[in-house]
Amino acid sequence: MEETMEQELTQEQTEKLLQFQDILGLEDVDLCRRTLEQHNWNIEAAVQHRLNEQEGVPNVPDQPASRTVQVYTAQHGMYSYIIARPQPRGFLGCRFSTPQPRGLLGWSLYFIVLPFRFTTYTLLDIFRFALRYIRRPITYPVGDDASFIQFFEEQYGQSHPIFYQGTYSEALNDAKRDQRYLLVYLHGEHHQDTDEFCRFTLCAEEVITFLNQEMLVWACSASRPEGVTVSQALQENHSFPFLTMVVPKERRMTVVGRLEGLIQPDDLIKQLTVIMEANQTYLASERLDREERNQAQVLRMEQDEAYLASLRADQEKNRRKREEEEQKLQEEEKLRQSALAVETRRWTLEEEKERKSECLPPEPPADHPESIKIGFKLPNDTRVERRFLFEQSLTVIYDYLFSLKETPARFQIVTNFPRRVLPCLPTEEQPNPPKLREAGLSRSEFLFVQDLTDE
């Protein structure tokens, strides 16, 4: 039967059951289990209950309701809401109640039992303190926040507020970026109120709905490295359950609220709402500043885009202007080069004409028996004439006409009737042009000079 009962209990409950038996020296397992279940497996409350029964002190069933509530607003806008237990503490912080003695017999029993009570709670606290370090910790190959979420779901199920998956710094940055409240929950695994708070407050449907709608929630075990770091940063005094509210304020994330103790769902929502309302002005101001900064940034971006567009337009205009100027300069250079080429050709032509004129044989006299008189009509309708010898080559006629200023650079000489072109220049087929006699010219001829410059 004992084995069957242990199989129905979790490892933590089994350990608490064995601790309870060892502390009180009870052998009745069913009685121990009923007592622990009656006190929601709170081993301290169960021990106190048994001691009160042994001493004849009546137990108050709703003892947790006797907690005192302290509400105050500290400096710098810090809102605190603390639910504390009024019992004094033993060595290492173990709580125990002190019943009021009645009469001589009561005072006698009080002083007789007091050392035993003090020793019992001190040993219990030492045992719990040692147990925290000898128990094999649950480790996961992930971050502290993710390991806590996995641990929480294993203990309390899937229905819980949406815990932020990321480091505390990342949660702060996202809350600041989105201008949202950030609720930080540090989980005290070994605190007597933790289990009740998680099961009946944090996992309450109305609390889940409220937190998911209003804020980001970051949670971690206070015994994990990052939880310890955050606990030190928030100056948490190890009073569990522990929650704190962080809000964007004056362009930085500021702690504005702290909740400690076993708080009920409705009260939790009420207190968080009080904190939110107290800081709504700051959050609205932050959001307004963010909107103004965003608008200013958008305006600067629009101005920058307009400036860049204007700059690009000016650059394009300057580019087209440079291209037009370069094109104009190129055209002017072409015209200059063309004019220079024309002038060079003109000077070359004039020099060639002058050279041809100097190389011409002298004109024979009119009474020379071998002389031939030829008239020429130039392309500009100018008429010239000159005497040649029958034995001279047609090249002489061509050189004479070429030496004239009125003659174009390229031309040919043709007869009128029958019309034929005189072969005055040497070719591959006829390297030596014929003589005037061979060309069939008479003593008096009239020839035409045809311009070939445009052909």
Side-chain angles (χ1 to χ4, degrees):
M1 175 179 179
E2 184 176 352
E3 294 179 356
T4 303
M5 179 182 63
E6 290 180 357
Q7 291 176 359
E8 295 175 355
L9 301 177
T10 64
Q11 181 181 358
E12 183 177 3
Q13 290 173 341
T14 302
E15 291 177 355
K16 289 183 178 181
L17 182 61
L18 295 176
Q19 294 174 31
F20 186 74
Q21 283 184 281
D22 294 339
I23 292 171
L24 297 179
L26 297 176
E27 297 181 357
D28 192 342
V29 178
D30 290 336
L31 176 61
C32 293
R33 178 176 180 178
R34 286 195 304 272
T35 305
L36 288 170
E37 289 178 345
Q38 179 181 354
H39 293 277
N40 197 23
W41 291 92
N42 187 329
I43 191 170
E44 295 180 4
V47 171
Q48 182 65 52
H49 177 87
R50 293 299 302 169
L51 292 176
N52 288 342
E53 286 184 350
Q54 294 175 5
E55 298 168 7
V57 179
N59 288 290
V60 181
D62 55 349
Q63 182 70 16
S66 65
R67 295 168 178 160
T68 60
V69 178
Q70 302 174 8
V71 182
Y72 60 91
T73 302
Q75 296 179 354
H76 309 295
M78 170 65 72
Y79 179 87
S80 296
Y81 185 84
I82 303 174
I83 299 178
R85 293 178 180 269
Q87 299 96 328
R89 297 174 179 266
F91 181 69
L92 294 178
C94 182
R95 297 185 179 90
F96 62 91
S97 61
T98 306
Q100 295 294 332
R102 299 178 182 179
L104 181 59
L105 179 60
W107 280 103
S108 299
L109 291 175
Y110 172 76
F111 285 110
I112 292 173
V113 176
L114 181 60
F116 171 76
R117 290 163 55 85
F118 181 82
T119 303
T120 300
Y121 281 99
T122 300
L123 292 175
L124 176 62
D125 217 356
I126 294 174
F127 179 80
R128 292 177 64 247
F129 180 80
L131 183 64
R132 180 178 303 179
Y133 293 94
I134 65 176
R135 289 180 57 188
R136 183 173 60 87
I138 301 175
T139 58
Y140 301 93
V142 287
D144 291 344
D145 55 298
S147 66
F148 170 75
I149 295 174
Q150 183 176 345
F151 163 78
F152 192 92
E153 292 179 350
E154 290 176 356
Q155 294 292 323
Y156 307 107
Q158 301 286 333
S159 180
H160 58 78
I162 300 175
F163 295 132
Y164 182 90
Q165 295 189 2
T167 64
Y168 177 65
S169 297
E170 292 172 344
L172 287 176
N173 291 334
D174 284 354
K176 183 178 181 180
R177 181 195 62 201
D178 300 335
Q179 298 294 297
R180 298 186 63 185
Y181 295 100
L182 174 64
L183 182 66
V184 178
Y185 168 61
L186 293 179
H187 183 80
E189 296 178 0
H190 304 290
H191 194 272
Q192 58 185 351
D193 293 332
T194 295
D195 188 76
E196 182 178 349
F197 174 78
C198 292
R199 291 186 185 278
F200 303 108
T201 299
L202 197 57
C203 292
E205 190 64 33
E206 61 270 27
V207 172
I208 295 175
T209 302
F210 176 80
L211 295 181
N212 291 343
Q213 290 178 351
E214 299 296 336
M215 62 195 69
L216 295 177
V217 180
W218 185 87
C220 186
S221 172
S223 61
R224 303 287 293 182
E226 185 165 14
V228 173
T229 302
V230 175
S231 174
Q232 295 172 351
L234 298 177
Q235 298 180 353
E236 183 270 320
N237 58 2
H238 298 287
S239 178
F240 296 101
F242 176 83
L243 301 107
T244 186
M245 180 83 81
V246 188
V247 66
K249 187 176 180 181
E250 297 178 356
R251 296 189 181 183
R252 62 187 182 91
M253 298 301 290
T254 306
V255 177
V256 295
R258 186 190 304 269
L259 305 178
E260 301 178 16
L262 182 56
I263 184 171
Q264 300 302 313
D266 293 341
D267 200 14
L268 175 61
I269 295 175
K270 177 182 177 181
Q271 299 307 320
L272 291 178
T273 302
V274 170
I275 298 174
M276 292 171 59
E277 291 177 350
N279 293 275
Q280 187 64 33
T281 303
Y282 298 108
L283 190 60
S285 177
E286 289 291 327
R287 290 173 177 171
L288 181 60
D289 291 343
R290 170 71 63 85
E291 184 64 24
E292 291 178 352
R293 290 195 299 271
N294 290 340
Q295 291 180 357
Q297 184 178 5
V298 170
L299 179 60
R300 287 195 299 270
M301 292 177 60
E302 292 177 350
Q303 292 175 345
D304 292 343
E305 290 178 356
Y307 171 75
L308 291 176
S310 175
L311 181 61
R312 287 193 294 268
D314 292 341
Q315 291 175 345
E316 180 65 19
K317 181 178 179 180
N318 293 334
R319 186 187 63 81
R320 289 197 300 267
K321 183 177 180 181
R322 287 195 304 270
E323 290 180 350
E324 292 175 356
E325 292 177 352
E326 290 176 358
Q327 184 177 2
K328 183 178 180 181
L329 292 175
Q330 291 176 358
E331 292 176 353
E332 291 178 352
E333 180 64 18
K334 288 181 180 179
L335 292 175
R336 190 182 69 82
Q337 294 292 337
S338 177
L340 180 60
V342 171
E343 185 68 17
T344 301
R345 289 195 298 270
R346 186 180 68 80
W347 280 102
T348 302
L349 183 61
E350 290 181 356
E351 291 178 356
E352 183 67 16
K353 286 178 177 290
E354 185 177 354
R355 187 179 64 80
K356 290 291 185 182
S357 177
E358 293 176 353
C359 295
L360 286 175
E363 182 179 6
D367 56 351
H368 193 288
E370 293 295 325
S371 65
I372 174 175
K373 182 180 180 181
I374 304 176
F376 302 95
K377 184 178 181 182
L378 303 180
N380 61 356
D381 293 334
T382 303
R383 296 175 181 267
V384 295
E385 63 178 25
R386 189 181 186 281
R387 291 186 298 274
F388 301 91
L389 296 176
F390 277 110
E391 297 301 324
Q392 291 177 337
S393 173
L394 290 175
T395 304
V396 177
I397 299 176
Y398 187 90
D399 292 342
Y400 163 72
L401 293 173
F402 182 81
S403 65
L404 299 178
K405 293 183 179 181
E406 298 84 357
T407 308
R410 295 179 61 248
F411 61 90
Q412 64 182 6
I413 303 172
V414 297
T415 60
N416 185 19
F417 186 83
R419 187 179 183 283
R420 60 189 179 93
V421 178
L422 297 179
C424 300
L425 297 177
T427 60
E428 293 181 358
E429 299 178 353
Q430 192 175 15
N432 297 316
K435 299 178 179 180
L436 274 62
R437 189 186 308 276
E438 295 173 351
L441 298 179
S442 60
R443 294 186 62 87
S444 179
E445 291 286 344
F446 192 81
L447 302 177
F448 295 87
V449 178
Q450 186 176 2
D451 189 359
L452 299 179
T453 304
D454 297 333
E455 294 183 6

